[in-house]
Amino acid sequence: MIYPSQREVKMQKFSYHTHTNSFGLFDGRNTVEEMIEGAYKAGYTELGISNHLIYHPNMHISSEAQKNDKMFHADKQKAKDIMTAVAQEIREKAKKAPIKVYVGFEVDFFPSKKWRDDFENIISEAKPDYLIGSTHFMRTPDESLVLNLYHLKESNCPESEIDKLMICYWENIIESIKSGYFDFIAHLDICKLFGLGIGPKWDELKRKVIDTLDKYHHPYELNTSGWRKVGEQHPHLWMIEELNKRDVPIIISDDAHKVEHIAGDFDKAEELLAGINYKNRYKPNIKL
Ligand SMILES: [Zn+2]
Ligand SMILES: [Zn+2]
């Protein structure tokens, strides 16, 4: 028997899930150059920059909070212009970078045909190198109402409706896996930051997510940002263990929103994976 402490733990030297403050429109704190420099100093061999693509035709831009959130788009053309510009900016800066730098988008997925058509149009000019599938929303099944988890308080959503809308949170993740759009799926249980989706009543849906990742052999991430926010990585350890049993590929992400977050808690993540002998590690295969 080999104990994890005796095994040489190799550190993953890249992240494909990071953010910048490009054009003052995104929620990172640093510029593209600063993030590249930070990644280089952290010993990364490559860096993926994945700013948010958050678009839905029914996005409630009218609420105060979302009006201030410049990443939220209900206007397809505006979303397209911004995502094309940010991809261009990263590609320009990548030319002078000491490491490989890739353009990704962290995409808030929605299953409707309308959203898919618009999404395909939005990315058609930017042509990102890879895509991360994310769900930061609760919604009704028909997407007539989409509510961002970070702005739930301002939405005045009645308590009694939340469980119903949360079912679609998990269904949304399942559909994002099936969509085939994404290189990997982000932070499966980001909802726990808001005290949502916690407790045994959600286990069945979480197991459905696990079954779908297994069925499609779809990569997902161990997101270390959970440690700095709620003291636990994303997703729960039991989910990682279950996915390991099924040999589903995993990637570690720092979800860095500033230079100081780069490679944050990677040692802890490596130890966790070594401790359960997680073998199937994932890295997007990008050819430029
Ligand atoms: Zn995210
Ligand atoms: Zn992110």
Side-chain angles (χ1 to χ4, degrees):
M1 168 127 189
I2 302 169
Y3 293 94
S5 57
Q6 295 172 320
R7 192 182 312 138
E8 189 197 347
V9 176
K10 263 199 203 147
M11 192 81 87
Q12 184 188 296
K13 286 293 185 191
F14 56 82
S15 173
Y16 278 79
H17 188 161
T18 67
H19 300 270
T20 69
N21 63 0
S22 297
F23 318 126
L25 293 176
F26 294 95
D27 63 348
R29 299 278 174 82
N30 290 96
T31 63
V32 173
E33 292 103 316
E34 287 163 348
M35 290 303 279
I36 293 172
E37 197 195 328
Y40 176 68
K41 283 187 179 157
Y44 276 11
T45 53
E46 56 206 270
L47 172 72
I49 298 177
S50 56
N51 281 313
H52 290 279
L53 195 182
I54 307 176
Y55 162 82
H56 196 283
N58 300 331
M59 191 84 68
H60 285 239
I61 311 283
S62 55
S63 95
E64 247 342 276
Q66 295 193 5
K67 213 191 296 171
N68 296 330
D69 218 322
K70 299 186 181 78
M71 302 187 295
F72 289 15
H73 301 288
D75 181 327
K76 182 179 75 174
Q77 191 57 46
K78 213 172 146 202
K80 186 176 184 173
D81 291 345
I82 289 168
M83 298 318 286
T84 304
V86 77
Q88 235 163 28
E89 189 211 5
I90 296 164
R91 289 214 167 91
E92 217 32 64
K93 303 284 157 66
K95 286 181 194 162
K96 293 176 220 128
I99 53 172
K100 281 182 218 148
V101 177
Y102 298 113
V103 179
F105 295 155
E106 181 184 2
V107 181
D108 261 288
F109 172 84
F110 293 93
S112 63
K113 177 161 189 331
K114 165 73 178 151
W115 183 86
R116 287 174 202 241
D117 289 346
D118 288 352
F119 163 66
E120 288 176 21
N121 181 274
I122 288 167
I123 64 167
S124 63
E125 274 172 33
K127 294 190 175 56
D129 303 319
Y130 68 98
L131 294 168
I132 306 174
S134 273
T135 296
H136 304 95
F137 282 80
M138 301 194 301
R139 59 171 172 81
T140 51
D142 66 359
E143 300 175 24
S144 55
L145 178 69
V146 297
L147 290 180
N148 187 277
L149 295 173
Y150 287 81
H151 293 301
L152 223 46
K153 279 210 183 91
E154 302 92 57
S155 72
N156 299 319
C157 177
E159 275 294 312
S160 55
E161 291 302 301
I162 287 186
D163 273 8
K164 250 188 278 170
L165 298 171
M166 265 307 285
I167 292 172
C168 291
Y169 168 89
W170 300 107
E171 296 290 350
N172 206 75
I173 294 175
I174 289 164
E175 292 307 315
S176 73
I177 298 162
K178 291 182 187 168
S179 75
Y181 282 135
F182 302 110
D183 291 77
F184 62 94
I185 305 295
H187 45 55
L188 302 174
D189 58 4
I190 193 87
C191 54
K192 72 186 171 198
L193 296 185
F194 311 93
L196 297 168
I198 299 169
K201 71 173 169 184
W202 297 106
D203 284 359
E204 201 186 315
L205 278 160
K206 287 173 186 172
R207 289 192 187 280
K208 233 173 122 183
V209 170
I210 290 167
D211 287 344
T212 314
L213 285 167
D214 178 21
K215 186 176 168 200
Y216 289 80
H217 203 62
H218 199 300
Y220 74 106
E221 71 174 11
L222 190 175
N223 187 310
T224 64
S225 76
W227 271 312
R228 62 178 186 256
K229 291 175 183 165
V230 285
E232 187 190 65
Q233 78 293 329
H234 304 289
H236 303 305
L237 181 58
W238 73 265
M239 295 177 80
I240 299 176
E241 283 173 333
E242 195 54 47
L243 287 157
N244 183 34
K245 275 186 215 152
R246 299 159 186 235
D247 199 36
V248 178
I250 193 167
I251 183 171
I252 300 172
S253 294
D254 49 26
D255 202 351
H257 281 70
K258 54 182 176 181
V259 168
E260 292 78 12
H261 292 160
I262 292 173
D265 284 325
F266 268 29
D267 46 352
K268 222 163 149 178
E270 291 289 358
E271 256 174 58
L272 184 153
L273 295 181
I276 57 172
N277 198 22
Y278 209 120
K279 288 237 173 66
N280 196 351
R281 302 286 293 268
Y282 174 72
K283 185 167 89 114
N285 182 17
I286 299 168
K287 293 194 181 74
L288 296 182

